[in-house]
Amino acid sequence: MRINGRDYRTIWLDEVGGQETGRRVEIIDQTRLPHRFETLTLADSDGVARAVSDMNVRGAPLIGVAGAYGLALATQEDASDAALEAAYGKLLAARPTAVNLRWALDRVKALLAAAPASERIALAFAEAGRIAEEDVACCAAIGVHGEALIRAAAEANPGRPINILTHCNAGWLATVDWGTALAPVYKAARAGIDLHVWVDETRPRNQGASLTAFELLSEGIRHTVIADNAGGHLMQRGMVDLCIVGTDRTTRTGDVCNKIGTYLKALAAHDNGVPFYVALPASTIDWRIDDGVAHIPIEERSAREVTHVSGRAPDGGVTEVQVTPEGSPARNWAFDVTPARYVTGLITERGVCAATEAGLRGLFPDLAR
Ligand code: MRU
């Protein structure tokens, strides 16, 4: 990704002191975007857990990588079994819906369990680094497979841009680089395909309006921010060629859990014959469950995210205003589940498959259990 003319990833390692105790994790602080570009230094596992739950870092794949680095930082604090178990629990509890967090923590934990305490720091940082690199490679591959779908749409509709609708932020800010849903957009745009992105604002936290718009602007991709409720209308008018969204947890049968409001977009797409694709790395698949509505825990966040919005004030500062009357209660479910029957296909690092158990097993026979 390129921000203000400089190449960035969303998370990286900073070595301050010696190799064994001085590592810190740097992140782009996503709570400050799009109005301020600031980075944040995380020096311990508590800091990582806080950054995940306060959404300074967010997006399913990035949460996984941050969790892995959090456990690595914990080895610098105390590499005993008991201390690492406590850090694991604290990091896992930071956000409940995205399964990538547990997947990445389990990977680091399994490696450390088999190693003496004296080797754990080096092993943990190396594994967290590997998880980060694999995420970049997965997302780049998702981009290649998804680009083929956009190219097919462009060939079927010569002489006009392809209109893609996306929800929330499943771009490079939600991963280490490239993104999931937006990787195909970036690959297609770099290949010269004429396209335009409809960006759902994504209330209550506005990840579409603030983060996806910021990314697309930085990449020079033509886009338009729309109110969350506009998607159905645009689909009825033939103004959307395909939807591509991300997912925080995918059941082995192809149900997808993504940012609240995704389900309504899938229903509108189904009613209007608009293809509805979901992009994901395999780390997002929860092979243990087959019914997303019944079994995926849905995070409920503070009602303040609904009652208040933040944005840039006329004086240039970032401010928060209240949109509801004082005293009206509010609720804030952060995710919903789209049943597999509304998903046209899953775009993964190994190719595109049907949103079915057979489809996922066909691509990932080594991971399915
Ligand atoms: O609550 P967030 O901002 O972490 O939610 C992010 C999403 O819902 C993304 O669509 C999801 O993580 C997809 S993966 C890039």
Side-chain angles (χ1 to χ4, degrees), residues 209-229:
S210 55
L211 305 178
T212 298
F214 172 80
E215 276 195 26
L216 294 173
L217 204 60
S218 304
E219 296 282 339
I221 307 264
R222 210 146 59 84
H223 64 282
T224 307
V225 180
I226 53 173
D228 283 328
N229 299 328

Side-chain angles (χ1 to χ4, degrees), residues 55 58-61 95 168-170 174 180 207 246-248 258-259 335:
M55 294 177 63
R58 46 149 298 284
R95 287 198 79 189
C168 194
N169 172 261
T180 57
Q207 290 96 324
T247 167
D248 287 72
N258 192 50
K259 182 52 56 191
F335 298 94

Side-chain angles (χ1 to χ4, degrees), residues 64-360:
V65 175
Y69 275 122
L71 206 48
L73 288 173
T75 61
Q76 289 187 157
E77 297 151 33
D78 179 347
S80 68
D81 286 348
L84 293 181
E85 195 54 45
Y88 174 94
K90 175 183 60 193
L91 289 161
L92 188 61
R95 287 198 79 189
T97 298
V99 79
N100 306 59
L101 184 55
R102 194 191 61 219
W103 168 84
L105 287 170
D106 282 349
R107 245 177 88 161
V108 179
K109 184 179 161 185
L111 195 74
L112 298 185
S118 59
E119 292 173 17
R120 286 178 172 173
I121 297 177
L123 279 173
F125 278 103
E127 187 67 358
R130 262 192 299 276
I131 292 172
E133 290 304 327
E134 285 172 25
D135 185 63
V136 177
C138 279
C139 289
I142 288 169
V144 170
H145 297 302
E147 179 197 331
L149 299 170
I150 300 174
R151 183 181 296 282
E155 283 168 2
N157 297 281
R160 69 161 180 84
I162 294 305
N163 288 296
I164 299 160
L165 182 140
T166 194
H167 191 70
C168 194
N169 172 261
W172 32 252
L173 286 166
T175 64
V176 179
D177 207 347
W178 284 109
T180 57
L182 292 187
V185 168
Y186 295 137
K187 294 275 185 187
R190 287 181 194 188
I193 296 173
D194 188 14
L195 54 82
H196 164 264
V197 182
W198 296 112
V199 178
D200 285 352
E201 60 178 347
T202 317
R203 277 283 285 150
R205 287 184 66 99
N206 289 321
Q207 290 96 324
S210 55
L211 305 178
T212 298
F214 172 80
E215 276 195 26
L216 294 173
L217 204 60
S218 304
E219 296 282 339
I221 307 264
R222 210 146 59 84
H223 64 282
T224 307
V225 180
I226 53 173
D228 283 328
N229 299 328
H233 171 72
L234 297 183
M235 291 186 218
Q236 283 177 326
R237 301 274 168 121
M239 294 165 75
V240 181
D241 293 294
L242 61 156
C243 303
I244 312 181
V245 301
T247 167
D248 287 72
R249 196 185 292 221
T250 306
T251 67
R252 67 168 184 272
T253 51
D255 292 347
V256 293
C257 182
N258 192 50
K259 182 52 56 191
I260 192 83
T262 302
Y263 173 45
L264 290 177
K265 292 297 154 2
L267 288 177
H270 184 74
D271 192 45
N272 291 282
V274 174
F276 189 88
Y277 287 100
V278 180
L280 61 132
S283 53
T284 302
I285 304 167
D286 189 340
W287 296 99
R288 303 165 311 163
I289 56 175
D290 61 3
D291 180 344
V293 175
H295 296 129
I296 299 178
I298 301 294
E299 175 182 15
E300 188 168 352
R301 296 184 61 84
S302 164
R304 192 177 176 87
E305 293 180 355
V306 173
T307 58
H308 291 65
V309 287
S310 77
R312 192 165 63 186
D315 67 359
V318 174
T319 191
E320 190 185 64
V321 295
Q322 184 168 346
V323 289
T324 54
E326 198 61 49
S328 280
R331 296 281 298 268
N332 183 13
W333 292 274
F335 298 94
D336 61 26
V337 174
T338 300
R341 62 183 177 276
Y342 298 120
V343 178
T344 307
L346 302 173
I347 309 170
T348 78
E349 66 269 37
R350 294 193 190 166
V352 180
C353 71
T356 61
E357 185 156 0
L360 282 170

